[in-house]
Amino acid sequence: MAITSIMRWLGILGVVLALGGWVLSEIDPSRPGTVASLEGLGLLCLAMYFVGNWQRLKTFSTQRSTKLGFNSLLAIFLMIGILIIVNFLVIRHGGRWDLSETQRFSLAPQTFQVLGQLNQDVHVRVFAHERSPGFGAYRDLLDAYTHITPHLLVTFIDPEKEPQIAQEFNITKIDTAVFSSDVQTIQVSKPTEANLTSALIRVTKQEKKRIAFLEGHGERRVKNSESGGLSFLRERLESQGYEVDRGLLTEDAVILHNTTVLIIPGPREPIPQSQTALLKNFVETGGRVLFLIDPQTTTGLTSLFAQWGITLGPGIIVDPEDRVSQGSPTALLVRRFTNHGITQGFTSPILIPVSQSLSFDQTTALKWTFTSLTQSSEESWAETNFSQNTPTFEEGEDRKGPFTIAAAMEFTQGNKAAEPHPAIVIIGNSAFASNAYAKFPGNTDFLLNAISWLAQEEALISIAAKEKTFAPFIPNPTQEHMLLAVQVFSVPLLLLFLGMTIWRRRSQL
């Protein structure tokens, strides 16, 4: 009896020591020697228990109930093992599926490209806790990022529990992520894919590219937060990692120094010839410019455009096929895009309140390559007579479409691009870039795509936000008439016909 009691206590002690070693390894991994000692003693006690009870275990194992019970336990353990192996394979090699309507949990192709090209470690410290509003968004996005690249090292830090680390990184509010590399450190305050990917690009680059907005000729101002200003575009450019500046085109041309892209946002007054000469020299020596030119304005750029084979207007485009339904006949909802780096994979329509046409004469500018980016429909025309409230096409007086509304041009030498590589983008309107229209998804994406292409940073082409918002269907006039015919007339008439048919058959019974 004494030996049996000792064996029982040895078994209990072995289990306790084994469990104690496992718990200690989880609580304090810095003590591997103590953990090994506890596990070794536990294993020794269990071995002595099995040796001391060998005969009893042997007799017990030969019983029929034991065999049946053993088979049941074996089946259970086999099933558990299969589940463990399947879960391991799924975690390590499993795919991911996004079944949401807007694909809001899928990363953009630009993000895949950036993560695939990441060849250095980037530390991401997210200062948030589980109760903070942005914690879930940071966790989901960064989990998707780390699933693609091993170079992203993510750490979540609770600034309330570790205030010294938050103070070290100058954290002033919750839900802030800090991207750090050997080059620089960037802070992100909003957990969106566009912000995280832009920060990842910026933190791995030595310097920022400079975007300059021209002023002094009645242009839209980049710091103006009213409906006609460009403050929203400036914020989006800064979130994409650009340095945004503004200035005058004076004789010393300071605004052109170290400028990657110059933007001329809708001048209302003529630009002097001395300044257009500076623009021409800037472009032809490798500069890149985005022209936003409003119709029926005197900009002083006509002669400069003529040297590059470009003609603007005349008139304002009216498009009964691609326009805002029940809106102004000159308000275009552009849906037709050509194949270019700016418009690649572009599906969102662009809302342009008023626009003029662009045309190109290849014989005048042999060394320029002209690519139309957006076009009006074949039903459009260029209206020049606005004496009537409703514009109408007049044969022989108005020019028939389709027209080019936005275009990209590159300077070439023969069949090769010139070095340095000049390029310009011209759009026949500037209002669509203003605060009143820039928040329309297609407008923002198109503007950022154009600027990124000019800056030769295609990886920074806009990543459209995937919000849980209602996306309305905006029909053009033709679609509106079809919906009216189907919903108001066709469906009720069909129901009336079916009802009369059923009534007639029943009356004949």
Side-chain angles (χ1 to χ4, degrees):
M1 293 295 293
I3 296 177
T4 304
S5 178
I6 292 173
M7 290 297 109
R8 185 186 307 112
W9 283 108
L10 279 175
I12 295 173
L13 181 61
V15 172
V16 171
L17 289 173
L19 290 176
W22 175 75
V23 171
L24 182 61
S25 67
E26 295 293 327
I27 296 176
D28 189 3
S30 63
R31 301 172 63 182
T34 305
V35 172
S37 300
L38 291 174
E39 295 291 345
L41 290 173
L43 182 62
L44 178 61
C45 292
L46 290 174
M48 293 175 62
Y49 172 80
F50 280 109
V51 170
N53 292 277
W54 176 255
Q55 191 63 37
R56 182 180 297 178
L57 292 173
K58 183 178 179 181
T59 303
F60 177 74
S61 63
T62 58
Q63 297 178 3
R64 182 174 179 275
S65 59
T66 303
K67 292 180 180 180
L68 294 176
F70 177 76
N71 290 335
S72 300
L73 289 175
L74 180 62
I76 292 172
F77 283 124
L78 285 175
M79 181 59 66
I80 293 174
I82 292 172
L83 292 176
I84 292 174
I85 294 172
V86 169
N87 276 275
F88 175 80
L89 293 175
V90 168
I91 292 173
R92 290 295 183 90
H93 308 287
R96 295 183 172 212
W97 298 273
D98 185 356
L99 303 179
S100 62
E101 181 181 359
T102 60
Q103 296 293 296
R104 61 187 304 266
F105 299 106
S106 298
L107 298 180
Q110 298 94 326
T111 298
F112 277 98
Q113 180 182 357
V114 171
L115 294 173
Q117 296 175 353
L118 188 63
N119 54 13
Q120 59 177 294
D121 288 344
V122 175
H123 294 266
V124 183
R125 298 172 177 87
V126 182
F127 291 87
H129 52 73
E130 294 184 357
R131 302 179 306 277
S132 59
F135 179 86
Y138 275 121
R139 180 193 57 201
D140 294 341
L141 281 171
L142 292 174
D143 181 60
Y145 281 37
T146 54
H147 189 74
I148 299 173
T149 176
H151 292 292
L152 207 61
L153 310 176
V154 180
T155 305
F156 282 84
I157 301 172
D158 189 341
E160 297 177 358
K161 295 182 179 179
E162 301 181 84
Q164 68 281 1
I165 301 179
Q167 186 177 2
E168 178 185 350
F169 287 92
N170 298 320
I171 302 301
T172 58
K173 66 176 185 177
I174 200 73
D175 289 337
T176 299
V178 179
F179 286 69
S180 304
S181 69
D182 296 335
V183 181
Q184 57 179 318
T185 299
I186 301 293
Q187 285 192 6
V188 175
S189 58
K190 293 183 179 180
T192 65
E193 182 183 353
N195 289 342
L196 298 184
T197 302
S198 298
L200 194 59
I201 295 173
R202 283 182 289 164
V203 82
T204 55
K205 289 185 177 294
Q206 295 289 343
E207 59 183 12
K208 296 181 180 182
K209 292 191 175 182
R210 182 170 177 262
I211 309 296
F213 286 78
L214 183 63
E215 293 184 352
H217 316 93
E219 293 91 347
R220 300 180 185 275
R221 292 185 175 272
V222 72
K223 289 192 174 183
N224 185 356
S225 59
E226 297 179 357
S227 61
L230 302 174
S231 61
F232 180 77
L233 176 59
R234 173 178 61 85
E235 293 172 0
R236 290 304 305 269
L237 288 173
E238 289 176 343
S239 71
Q240 293 283 348
Y242 295 114
E243 177 187 350
V244 179
D245 202 356
R246 61 192 177 96
L248 305 174
L249 193 59
T250 53
E251 292 183 0
D252 54 2
V254 176
I255 191 177
L256 301 180
H257 296 168
N258 300 321
T259 294
T260 304
V261 178
L262 176 67
I263 299 178
I264 303 179
R268 298 285 178 176
E269 301 172 3
I271 300 177
Q273 187 174 358
S274 59
Q275 297 184 17
T276 59
L278 293 174
L279 286 175
K280 179 182 178 183
N281 181 68
F282 173 72
V283 171
E284 295 183 353
T285 55
R288 305 169 83 86
V289 183
L290 172 61
F291 292 94
L292 304 177
I293 308 299
D294 292 309
Q296 296 183 326
T297 56
T298 303
T299 63
L301 297 172
T302 303
S303 60
L304 177 61
F305 289 154
Q307 296 178 49
W308 295 335
I310 303 171
T311 303
L312 301 179
I316 296 177
I317 298 176
V318 177
D319 194 342
E321 183 69 22
D322 289 340
R323 70 174 179 87
V324 179
S325 180
Q326 303 300 325
S328 170
T330 61
L332 306 181
L333 201 62
V334 182
R335 311 168 188 264
R336 304 166 194 270
F337 306 100
T338 59
N339 187 18
H340 188 269
I342 296 175
T343 56
Q344 183 176 6
F346 204 87
T347 57
S348 301
I350 304 174
L351 178 58
I352 301 181
V354 61
S355 182
Q356 60 187 325
S357 63
L358 309 174
S359 58
F360 177 70
D361 184 2
Q362 185 68 63
T363 60
T364 304
L366 297 175
K367 295 182 179 180
W368 283 95
T369 300
F370 180 91
T371 303
S372 174
L373 300 176
T374 63
Q375 293 182 332
S376 62
S377 72
E378 295 180 355
E379 301 298 322
S380 63
W381 73 87
E383 181 64 47
T384 56
N385 181 12
F386 289 92
S387 59
Q388 300 178 353
N389 293 331
T390 303
T392 56
F393 177 71
E394 298 181 7
E395 191 73 33
E397 295 186 10
D398 297 329
R399 291 187 303 131
K400 194 72 173 176
F403 299 107
T404 295
I405 299 173
M409 296 180 62
E410 294 181 85
F411 192 78
T412 60
Q413 295 283 6
N415 295 325
K416 297 181 179 180
E419 292 295 342
H421 187 43
I424 61 176
V425 172
I426 304 178
I427 303 174
N429 177 262
S430 70
F432 89 108
S434 65
N435 298 332
Y437 295 94
K439 294 183 181 180
F440 193 79
N443 293 24
T444 303
D445 293 344
F446 187 79
L447 280 167
L448 294 179
N449 286 9
I451 294 171
S452 298
W453 179 79
L454 288 170
Q456 296 179 291
E457 288 192 343
E458 285 77 4
L460 275 174
I461 282 182
S462 172
I463 300 174
K466 302 183 180 77
E467 302 292 342
K468 295 186 292 184
T469 55
F470 173 65
F473 169 65
I474 306 176
N476 58 35
T478 302
Q479 293 170 334
E480 186 181 43
H481 294 155
M482 291 179 62
L483 290 173
L484 182 67
V486 172
Q487 294 178 345
V488 178
F489 297 104
S490 300
V491 173
L493 288 175
L494 178 61
L495 293 175
L496 178 62
F497 173 76
L498 291 175
M500 293 183 64
T501 302
I502 295 172
W503 172 80
R504 183 177 179 182
R505 287 184 178 180
R506 286 185 176 180
S507 64
Q508 293 177 352
L509 293 178

